[in-house]
Amino acid sequence: MARMIDLIRSSGASSHVMQTAARGALSVPPQEMIEILVYLATQTKIFAERARLTLAGWDETSSRAAAADPRTPKEVLAYMITPGNLRPTLLPALLENPSVSENSVAELTAAASRYMLETLVKSARVNQSQTILKSLSSNPNLNPNQSAAVAEKLSAFKPPTTAEPETKTPASPQAAAAPESPEPNVPHQAASPGLDDVPDETVAAYLTEHATEISAEADKPFQPIGGIEEIAPETSSHTASAEVPTETVASSSAGGAAAAARRAPTKKAYLSAEEQRGSALQKISKLGITGRIQLAMKGSKEERSILIRDGTKIVSLAVLESPKITDGEVEKFASQKNVLEAVLRGITMKRRFIKQYAILRNLTFNPRTPIDVSLGLIKHLLTADLRNLSGNKEVSDTVRKIATRMFRQKLEVTGKE
């Protein structure tokens, strides 16, 4: 006999049945009712809000059983642990459920409220995962004692100090483009101004940590979100110039030699802002994934502004790992609609960034920001920004409604005072 959830998914249920389902009033087992409600809340428009309200007040015993059961569908568990949906009483069961993904737990720990942190820092699963602990360490709600405890646990995951042979990790984009070569082209890297500001060990650590993802995306070329045409030369009201590097990172020795030969006759010592951007784009378009990662972490502000839009997630996220990146750059990235959602989520996982109100505000007003991230940030907005957000037609209805409710609550509190 087919389950009701299958009938609903196939659009075979009547409108009356769907309305009854959204109220949680169908005669089906509790576990299946929860599954139906999650489907309605995430996959339909007409019944979504009613289903979300029903889930928020669903029987705690049934909810806890579903949260603890590894056989519960992953989409149900993902819904339950999303910050905007999470019921605190279900947190312990969800944390220890092996079917709840590590990424879901990591996203939660980065935005968890103060009253959830005590549970998180005591969780065996949290303390056994470097990924989750890193995310937890970025949570701005941690008190000093909790921060110190998390830092101590993280230190236990640090790799041995013995260095890997240099030939295993490319020391430059040239080496990444030609991995067969046993000799990294260090002179070219050193000649590019600013590249030595970031230790090779920092890049090597990132490459090692994400080796699997890099291998899977090895052949993916540079494809910026929004397309190449959007990366137009930026004009400036004042004269902006930058010294031309005597040598730049090239993707192959042949291409580098040809480019050098074309540049040799010119006597021009400076590039305009427009030319600089065009030069950076040409350089990036020739690089493989490892070269782009290195440039994202070691390159210039101009290069970071282009690579943050890289359609390969592991490259765009490398920009946020650059020790050279500034709060001003991240503030701009937080408002961009032509970046991956993973970039906007990644910004919130960096405590240094999310402590900046301008960054927090830009993320909340950005319609590209994942809704669960926005809902976790709204409570930190000032009254004036809550008012503006409540009337922002670009963000989702849910974000606007929550902003409106919080704005009214703050007005009531102000009125009482």
Side-chain angles (χ1 to χ4, degrees), residues 94-380:
L94 288 166
L95 286 176
E96 306 310 325
N97 188 331
S99 293
V100 175
S101 71
E102 185 177 60
N103 284 341
S104 294
V105 177
E107 290 169 10
L108 172 67
T109 58
S113 56
R114 289 185 178 88
Y115 59 82
M116 291 184 189
L117 288 173
E118 187 173 351
T119 301
L120 290 169
V121 296
K122 293 179 180 178
S123 166
R125 183 178 185 185
V126 170
N127 291 321
Q128 291 168 6
S129 168
Q130 184 179 19
T131 299
I132 298 175
L133 282 172
K134 279 185 177 179
S135 178
L136 179 59
S137 69
S138 69
N139 191 308
N141 295 320
L142 286 171
N143 63 40
N145 290 336
Q146 290 170 333
S147 293
V150 172
E152 183 179 354
K153 292 167 186 172
L154 268 174
S155 65
F157 288 93
K158 288 185 178 178
T161 55
T162 54
E164 290 284 338
E166 290 185 3
T167 55
K168 290 187 178 181
T169 301
S172 71
Q174 294 97 319
E180 302 83 8
S181 175
E183 298 182 3
N185 197 338
V186 176
H188 277 273
Q189 176 183 314
S192 186
L195 290 182
D196 285 342
D197 294 349
V198 179
D200 286 339
E201 291 78 6
T202 302
V203 180
Y206 187 85
L207 292 172
T208 301
E209 182 179 354
H210 300 280
T212 302
E213 297 166 81
I214 292 171
S215 177
E217 303 279 3
D219 299 326
K220 192 170 181 180
F222 173 62
Q223 294 178 333
I225 304 298
I228 292 286
E229 61 275 4
E230 281 195 13
I231 308 181
E234 295 179 348
T235 57
S236 174
S237 58
H238 60 282
T239 302
S241 62
E243 189 171 352
V244 179
T246 57
E247 295 182 52
T248 58
V249 181
S251 61
S252 66
S253 57
R262 288 194 297 271
R263 288 195 301 269
T266 183
K267 296 182 179 180
K268 190 173 184 179
Y270 292 89
L271 289 178
S272 68
E274 294 87 347
E275 292 169 327
Q276 184 184 7
R277 190 167 183 80
S279 175
L281 181 56
Q282 289 176 4
K283 178 196 303 184
I284 290 168
S285 65
K286 296 176 183 178
L287 296 175
I289 185 170
T290 309
R292 301 204 304 276
I293 288 173
Q294 183 180 29
L295 201 62
M297 300 181 73
K298 287 191 167 194
S300 66
K301 177 180 177 181
E302 194 66 52
E303 289 158 347
R304 288 193 295 275
S305 72
I306 297 173
L307 287 168
I308 196 68
R309 291 182 46 204
D310 198 308
T312 303
K313 182 174 72 171
I314 200 64
V315 176
S316 54
L317 289 179
V319 174
L320 301 180
E321 299 295 329
S322 172
K324 301 171 68 176
I325 197 170
T326 65
D327 293 346
E329 289 176 75
V330 178
E331 182 180 339
K332 179 180 178 181
F333 299 157
S335 65
Q336 288 185 208
K337 301 173 188 176
N338 54 1
V339 296
L340 293 171
E341 290 185 1
V343 169
L344 302 175
R345 190 183 295 278
I347 292 173
T348 68
M349 297 176 73
K350 299 287 185 183
R351 189 175 184 182
R352 165 195 162 189
F353 301 149
I354 207 62
K355 286 171 63 177
Q356 305 297 322
Y357 182 78
I359 294 175
L360 183 151
R361 179 191 177 282
N362 285 357
L363 284 170
T364 312
F365 277 74
N366 189 341
R368 182 84 170 166
T369 301
I371 188 168
D372 60 297
V373 173
S374 296
L375 294 177
L377 299 176
I378 288 178
K379 60 181 177 290
H380 300 294

